[in-house]
Amino acid sequence: MARTVNRETIDHVKRWEGLKLTSYPDPGSRDGTPYTIGYGHTSDGFLKVTRGLSISPKQAEDALEFDLNETAAKVDELVKVALSDNQFGALVSFAFNVGLGAFGKSTLLKKLNKGDYSAVPGEMAKWVNNDGKKMQGLVNRRAAEAGLWAKGEHVASKGVKADKVAPPALDKETVSWGAGILATLGAVFSGTGPIQWVLASVIVIAFGVGAYWFIVKRVDPK
C-alpha cells in the first residue's frame, strides 16, 4: 500500500497553494489552459476543470488530498531511505510544487538517497526561481518546507542503527559511591601507624582504577 500524507502536510500545502472556488486560466499560456481550481488542481480523472466551473470547499480539499496522495505515491517510490511523517510530507509538498519530473532528477533526491539528510533544507532553498527570477513567495515556501522537514522525530538511513546514548558521567549513584570511598579514606587516615597507611594506599589505588573503568564505560557505552 502506497504511503499517504499526514494531516499536517495537507494543512501546510493548503496554506501555500491558496483556495480558489472558481476555475481560472493559466496566466502563462496563450489559450488559458489548463484551467485550475481549488488548491492548484487541474483536470484529471478525479475532477475535470473547465472554464466557469465552481466547487465547494469540501470538493477543493478532496481534490487536494487526491493530488497529494498521487504525488506521495511517486515520492515514496523514488526515496530509498526511511523518513518520518513530517519529512515525507515536506518532500511531497516540494515535489507537488516543483513537479515530480524535476524532483526525480534533483540533486536533493540523489543526496538524500545516499543518506545525507542534512542536505535537504539547503537543496530545497535552491528552488526559488520562476522564469529566472527569484520569487519571495517561493523563498518563503521553501523555508516552510524546511521547517516541516525538521519538525518532529528524526530517523537514520535504512539499515543504520541509532547511536547509543551514553549515560551521564555523574549521577546520584556516582556521587553516593564517591562519598562512600571518601568517608572510608577519612576513617583510615584518622588512625596512625603503618597498617593504616598501607590500607589507605590500597584503597586509593583501587579507587583510581575503578574510577577509570567506570568513566570509560560511561563515556563509551559500546
Side-chain angles (χ1 to χ4, degrees):
M1 183 177 177
R3 186 173 183 175
T4 58
V5 295
N6 61 5
R7 185 72 238 176
E8 186 159 4
T9 300
I10 295 170
D11 291 340
H12 162 86
V13 175
K14 284 170 68 176
R15 287 191 293 270
W16 289 101
E17 289 293 332
L19 175 62
K20 297 286 186 181
L21 296 178
T22 302
S23 63
Y24 58 94
D26 182 350
S29 69
R30 292 182 179 180
D31 61 358
T33 58
Y35 278 87
T36 307
I37 202 166
Y39 298 98
H41 179 81
T42 54
S43 286
D44 59 15
F46 184 82
L47 176 64
K48 185 176 181 179
V49 184
T50 57
R51 181 178 181 180
L53 177 67
S54 293
I55 60 174
S56 68
K58 177 64 166 58
Q59 287 175 303
E61 180 157 337
D62 289 345
L64 175 63
E65 291 192 29
F66 179 86
D67 291 343
L68 287 180
N69 285 326
E70 274 197 328
T71 303
K74 188 63 177 177
V75 170
D76 192 34
E77 177 185 326
L78 291 170
V79 175
K80 306 303 181 184
V81 296
L83 299 171
S84 71
D85 287 343
N86 285 329
Q87 288 174 327
F88 181 68
L91 293 183
V92 170
S93 172
F94 176 77
F96 185 69
N97 183 240
V98 305
L100 281 167
F103 175 72
K105 298 176 182 178
S106 67
T107 302
L108 182 156
L109 181 63
K110 291 182 177 69
K111 288 185 176 182
L112 176 60
N113 280 341
K114 291 179 180 179
D116 191 357
Y117 289 80
S118 62
V120 171
E123 290 298 324
M124 282 181 169
K126 296 177 182 179
W127 293 76
V128 294
N129 293 336
N130 186 23
D131 292 331
K133 296 181 180 179
K134 188 174 184 179
M135 306 294 292
Q136 188 59 45
L138 291 177
V139 172
N140 295 342
R141 179 164 183 161
R142 296 292 92 87
E145 287 163 351
L148 182 61
W149 170 268
K151 188 174 183 179
E153 71 273 26
H154 298 279
V155 295
S157 57
K158 288 180 179 177
V160 178
K161 293 182 179 180
D163 292 336
K164 293 181 180 180
V165 178
L170 291 177
D171 55 17
K172 290 183 179 179
E173 180 184 351
T174 313
V175 173
S176 176
W177 175 63
I181 293 293
L182 291 176
T184 302
L185 283 173
V188 171
F189 279 118
S190 64
T192 58
I195 295 178
Q196 282 81 4
W197 284 104
V198 170
L199 285 174
S201 299
V202 170
I203 292 173
V204 168
I205 293 170
F207 174 74
V209 172
Y212 170 79
W213 287 111
F214 180 84
I215 291 172
V216 167
K217 288 293 184 181
R218 287 282 170 137
V219 174
D220 184 5
K222 294 179 182 180

